[in-house]
C-alpha cells in the first residue's frame, strides 16, 4: 500500500461521511502514505480532487428515476477520476459510499480489477449489499437479489420495478474478482451477512467515529442569549434534516409533533438544526428551527446546549450526530431500531418503541436539566469508544493487511 485514493460523494464539511473521509485521508498522509481525497462536488474549504460535473449528475439522476439503475451513468465524471488514478498510480482505494448519482460503478470496478487495486469498502449505510436502497429497513428481498423490490417509492424513488434487481446483479458482476473487504458497524455487518453480494466476503466490524477533539462540551451562554432561551429552560435538541425528501427515514415530523405535545409546558424548548423546508402543519410555538450549519464549532455548541438529544431517525447504521452529542456531554433519546440501540448503554441513552410518540413523550415529561456527572459520563463513553484516531488506525491496518 503506497498510493491511496479515498472516495466520497460530497466534499461537504457538514456531512458525516465527508468528515470520516477527510479525517482518514489526513491520517494516511500523516503516516507517510500518499493519499488523495476524491469527491464529485464539495465545499471550497475541502481539499482534494473534484471529478464531478453538474450535467453528468443531472442526467444520472434523471435516468435513475426512470430505470432504477444507480451507478450506471456519469461516464465523463468517472473517466476523469480514472485518469487521476492513472496519474497518481493508485494501488489502494477506500470507498465510503458509491450511491447518489455521481459515479459509474462498472467503469470503476473494471478499472480496479484490470490494475489489481485493493479496495476497503467502508459501509456507512446498506447500499454495498443492496440493490438501490441506502437503507433497506431489514427487507427480506436483499436475500433474494432484490427481486420485486417493495421500496420503489422510498428514497431514492424509481419507476422501473426490475431496476433494483438489475443493479444487484450488476454489483455481483462488479465484485467478482475484486480484492475487496467490507468494514462497518455491527448493524451493517448483520445485513451484509444476509446478502448474496457480501455474505461470503471478508467482513470486519468497526464502529464509526467522530473527532472527539472538536466535539466536546462547550460553554453555551452565548448561544442561549442568541436563541433567547432562559437558563431555567430544559432544552431538547435534534440535528436531522427536514427537506421534504428525506423526512420519512430521518423522522423529523415525529420530533415536531413531540414538541407540539409540550407546546403549553413552559419547562421545555425544542431546537432543530437542518430545517430547510416548510413543515405542512406549521411549527409549535416552543420550537426553534435552524438551517444547515457547516461550522463544526457552532454545531458542537448546539449539541452541548441540549439537556437531551432526540434523534427520530427510523433507520441508520450508527448515526454520527448521536455520537457527537455524547462527546459534547448530552444523553440520547432514540427509537429502538437497528443501528441506534447499540450506540450507548442505558445510563446515557434511552431507546423507545419505534414511532411511539406516547412512549417518547413520557421520557421527555420526566426530563430534568442534565448534571455535570451526566455530561462527564457521556463524554467519557464517547471518547473511549468512538475516537477517530483509533478508527483510522484500524482502517489503515486493514488496508496494509489487504496489500500483503
Amino acid at each position: 500500500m503506497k498510493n491511496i485514493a479515498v472516495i466520497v460523494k460530497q466534499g461537504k464539511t457538514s456531512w458525516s461521511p465527508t468528515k470520516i473521509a477527510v479525517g482518514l485521508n489526513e491520517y494516511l498522509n500523516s503516516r507517510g502514505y500518499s493519499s488523495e481525497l476524491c469527491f464529485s462536488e464539495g465545499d471550497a474549504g475541502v481539499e482534494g480532487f473534484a471529478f464531478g460535473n453538474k450535467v453528468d449528475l443531472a442526467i444520472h439522476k434523471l435516468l435513475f428515476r426512470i430505470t432504477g439503475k444507480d451507478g450506471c451513468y456519469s461516464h465523463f465524471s468517472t473517466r476523469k477520476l480514472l485518469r487521476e488514478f492513472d496519474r497518481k498510480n493508485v494501488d489502494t482505494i477506500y470507498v465510503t459510499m458509491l450511491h447518489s448519482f455521481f459515479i459509474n460503478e462498472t467503469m470503476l470496478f473494471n478499472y480496479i480489477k484490470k490494475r489489481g487495486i485493493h479496495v476497503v469498502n467502508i459501509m456507512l449505510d446498506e447500499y454495498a449489499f443492496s440493490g438501490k436502497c441506502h437503507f433497506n429497513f431489514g427487507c427480506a428481498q436483499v436475500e433474494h437479489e432484490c427481486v420485486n423490490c417493495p421500496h420503489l417509492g422510498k428514497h431514492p424513488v424509481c419507476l422501473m420495478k426490475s431496476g433494483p434487481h438489475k443493479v444487484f446483479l450488476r454489483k455481483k458482476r462488479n465484485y467478482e474478482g475484486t480484492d475487496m473487504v467490507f468494514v462497518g458497524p455491527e448493524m451493517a455487518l448483520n445485513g451484509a451477512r444476509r446478502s448474496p453480494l457480501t455474505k461470503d466476503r471478508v467482513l470486519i466490524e468497526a464502529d464509526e467515529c467522530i473527532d472527539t477533539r472538536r466535539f466536546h462540551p462547550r460553554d453555551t451562554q452565548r448561544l442561549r442569549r442568541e436563541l433567547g432561551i432562559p437558563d431555567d429552560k430544559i432544552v431538547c435538541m435534534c440535528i436531522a434534516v427536514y427537506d421534504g425528501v428525506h423526512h420519512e427515514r430521518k423522522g423529523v415530523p415525529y420530533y415536531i409533533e413531540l414538541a407540539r405535545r409540550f407546546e403549553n409546558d413552559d419547562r421545555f424548548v425544542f431546537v432543530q438544526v437542518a430545517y430547510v423546508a416548510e413543515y405542512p402543519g406549521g411549527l409549535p410555538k416552543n420550537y426553534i428551527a435552524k438551517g444547515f450549519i457547516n461550522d463544526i464549532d457552532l454545531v458542537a455548541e448546539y449539541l452541548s446546549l441540549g439537556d437531551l438529544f432526540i434523534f427520530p431517525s427510523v433507520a441508520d447504521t450508527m448515526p454520527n450526530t448521536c455520537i457527537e452529542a455524547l462527546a459534547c456531554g448530552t444523553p440520547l433519546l432514540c427509537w429502538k431500531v437497528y443501528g441506534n440501540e447499540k450506540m450507548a448503554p442505558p445510563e446515557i441513552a434511552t431507546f423507545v418503541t419505534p414511532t411511539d410518540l406516547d412512549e417518547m413523550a413520557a421520557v421527555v415529561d420526566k426530563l430534568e436539566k442534565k448534571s455535570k456527572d451526566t455530561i462527564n459520563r457521556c463524554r467519557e463513553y464517547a471518547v473511549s469508544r468512538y475516537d477517530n484516531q483509533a478508527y483510522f488506525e484500524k482502517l489503515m491496518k486493514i488496508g496494509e493487511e489487504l496489500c500483503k
Side-chain angles (χ1 to χ4, degrees):
M1 186 167 80
K2 183 179 179 182
N3 300 315
I4 303 167
V6 179
I7 300 177
V8 65
K9 184 201 173 183
Q10 301 181 67
K12 294 187 177 293
T13 54
S14 61
W15 199 42
S16 294
T18 302
K19 295 174 189 175
I20 290 175
V22 168
L24 174 61
N25 184 65
E26 291 175 350
Y27 185 85
L28 291 168
N29 280 311
S30 74
R31 297 298 298 269
Y33 291 106
S34 175
S35 182
E36 182 174 49
L37 182 70
C38 301
F39 50 84
S40 174
E41 54 184 346
D43 296 335
V46 178
E47 294 185 4
F49 180 74
F51 59 88
N53 68 74
K54 293 181 179 179
V55 175
D56 248 7
L57 180 64
I59 293 172
H60 197 150
K61 192 178 293 187
L62 174 63
L63 291 176
F64 169 81
R65 294 283 187 258
I66 299 169
T67 67
K69 297 178 183 178
D70 198 355
C72 292
Y73 310 105
S74 295
H75 296 85
F76 294 107
S77 299
T78 306
R79 198 169 290 126
K80 182 178 178 180
L81 176 64
L82 300 184
R83 285 198 297 267
E84 177 68 2
F85 288 173
D86 280 339
R87 188 183 74 81
K88 296 284 289 185
N89 195 25
V90 168
D91 56 60
T92 307
I93 297 174
Y94 288 83
V95 300
T96 54
M97 296 172 174
L98 292 178
H99 59 68
S100 298
F101 328 120
F102 78 102
I103 198 165
N104 186 300
E105 294 177 42
T106 299
M107 288 174 64
L108 174 65
F109 278 99
N110 284 345
Y111 180 94
I112 286 169
K113 286 185 276 193
K114 183 177 180 180
R115 286 161 176 77
I117 294 172
H118 313 283
V119 182
V120 180
N121 196 319
I122 306 169
M123 296 188 294
L124 302 179
D125 60 15
E126 300 180 304
Y127 179 75
F129 55 86
S130 302
K132 80 172 183 73
C133 291
H134 309 167
F135 293 91
N136 60 54
F137 301 90
C139 179
Q141 292 308 108
V142 168
E143 302 171 26
H144 306 289
E145 300 183 336
C146 293
V147 174
N148 298 321
C149 174
H151 299 310
L152 295 178
K154 292 182 182 293
H155 178 78
V157 177
C158 69
L159 301 177
M160 189 172 292
K161 193 173 183 179
S162 62
H165 176 55
K166 289 180 178 179
V167 171
F168 194 100
L169 295 179
R170 187 206 69 224
K171 288 184 184 180
K172 197 172 184 179
R173 292 191 296 270
N174 288 343
Y175 291 176
E176 288 173 355
T178 305
D179 188 18
M180 177 165 59
V181 298
F182 294 82
V183 181
E186 180 183 349
M187 169 265 172
L189 295 192
N190 288 341
R193 293 186 184 103
R194 296 190 297 115
S195 171
L197 280 175
T198 48
K199 65 181 182 180
D200 296 323
R201 288 278 180 169
V202 175
L203 305 174
I204 302 172
E205 183 173 347
D207 290 331
E208 292 175 25
C209 70
I210 60 166
D211 187 346
T212 57
R213 280 149 290 279
R214 297 292 299 276
F215 289 96
H216 58 83
R218 305 296 182 98
D219 185 299
T220 60
Q221 287 304 306
R222 182 204 63 80
L223 186 58
R224 276 185 176 271
R225 288 194 299 270
E226 180 182 304
L227 298 177
I229 301 175
D231 288 344
D232 63 336
K233 294 286 188 181
I234 298 171
V235 179
C236 295
M237 177 62 61
C238 173
I239 298 182
V241 65
Y242 181 78
D243 61 1
V245 177
H246 298 87
H247 64 273
E248 183 177 2
R249 182 176 71 83
K250 291 295 185 182
V252 172
Y254 294 113
Y255 181 70
I256 294 173
E257 295 308 320
L258 176 69
R260 201 180 305 281
R261 293 191 177 202
F262 293 92
E263 191 167 15
N264 297 315
D265 191 327
D266 290 338
R267 294 176 295 165
F268 300 103
V269 173
F270 289 77
V271 180
Q272 182 210 343
V273 173
Y275 179 84
V276 292
E278 291 298 318
Y279 183 63
L283 299 177
K285 63 184 181 183
N286 60 347
Y287 201 93
I288 298 173
K290 295 291 181 179
F292 282 115
I293 298 175
N294 291 323
D295 184 336
I296 290 178
D297 292 312
L298 183 55
V299 171
E301 280 190 56
Y302 272 91
L303 291 172
S304 300
L305 177 66
D307 292 293
L308 183 68
F309 184 80
I310 300 175
F311 192 65
S313 175
V314 297
D316 256 290
T317 49
M318 182 165 278
N320 284 201
T321 310
C322 291
I323 304 169
E324 291 165 352
L326 289 174
C328 291
T330 304
L332 308 177
L333 172 59
C334 310
W335 303 127
K336 190 177 182 179
V337 295
Y338 62 111
N340 283 353
E341 58 182 320
K342 300 292 185 179
M343 283 188 300
E347 294 80 18
I348 54 174
T350 303
F351 303 100
V352 297
T353 305
T355 72
D356 189 335
L357 278 180
D358 291 336
E359 194 173 344
M360 185 171 272
V363 175
V364 172
D365 192 44
K366 297 176 182 177
L367 183 62
E368 298 179 351
K369 292 180 72 65
K370 64 186 179 185
S371 66
K372 185 66 175 177
D373 179 63
T374 296
I375 293 172
N376 290 338
R377 281 189 286 130
C378 291
R379 170 71 182 168
E380 289 167 4
Y381 186 82
V383 171
S384 67
R385 182 175 172 186
Y386 296 115
D387 179 67
N388 63 0
Q389 298 302 295
Y391 179 74
F392 298 149
E393 174 78 9
K394 184 169 187 174
L395 289 177
M396 183 186 73
K397 289 183 176 178
I398 290 170
E400 290 173 341
E401 187 65 28
L402 189 61
C403 293
K404 285 183 177 178

